[in-house]
Structure formats: C-alpha cells, structure tokens
Amino acid sequence: MNAIPWRERVRGEDELVEQLQTLVSESAKRRALALLDGVAELGTVADVARELGKSWNAVDAAIKKNGPGPTTT
C-alpha cells in the first residue's frame, strides 16, 4: 500500500514536470547557440544540417525558436 496520499503524489509529479520543462527549455537554448556556432564555422544553416544529418528546416526552426532574439542598439 502507498503511504503517501495521492494529492501529495500529484503535487510532487507536477513539480517534477515543471523542473523537467525548465531543463528542456534551457537545453534547447544551449543547442540553438551551438547550432549558431556551427553556422559561424561552416557558413550556412544548410551546411550545419548536412553535417548533422538533419533537415535544413529543422535546424533553422530550432535556431529561430530557441536562439537569441534580435539585438537592439
């Protein structure tokens, strides 16, 4: 028999999901920065995609969605 009440278990799982979502978001941002480094090294998004065996669209979308936003001066 489970000694922890179901409400506490649900609360604990909700906290875990929130932590995991934060980790995924942070990882996606770091990945986008790495992809941008690849573009700087190789020259184009297409070259990075080819190197990684991914589609151009997937690499471009990852950079746009999770990369740094436009800078203002």
Side-chain angles (χ1 to χ4, degrees), residues 5-70:
W6 68 269
R7 286 178 181 88
E8 284 184 43
R9 293 193 330 257
V10 169
R11 235 182 326 272
E13 294 303 324
D14 285 345
E15 289 174 11
L16 180 59
V17 167
E18 189 174 318
Q19 291 170 5
L20 291 170
Q21 288 172 334
T22 298
L23 289 172
V24 167
S25 176
E26 291 169 353
S27 176
K29 289 176 186 177
R30 289 190 304 271
R31 182 174 181 266
L33 291 174
L35 290 169
L36 285 170
D37 287 346
V39 171
E41 179 183 316
L42 299 178
T44 67
V45 170
D47 290 333
V48 172
R50 202 171 4 269
E51 176 81 18
L52 297 174
K54 306 272 185 199
S55 74
W56 179 92
N57 289 332
V59 173
D60 189 56
I63 291 170
K64 286 180 179 175
K65 181 178 179 186
N66 301 299

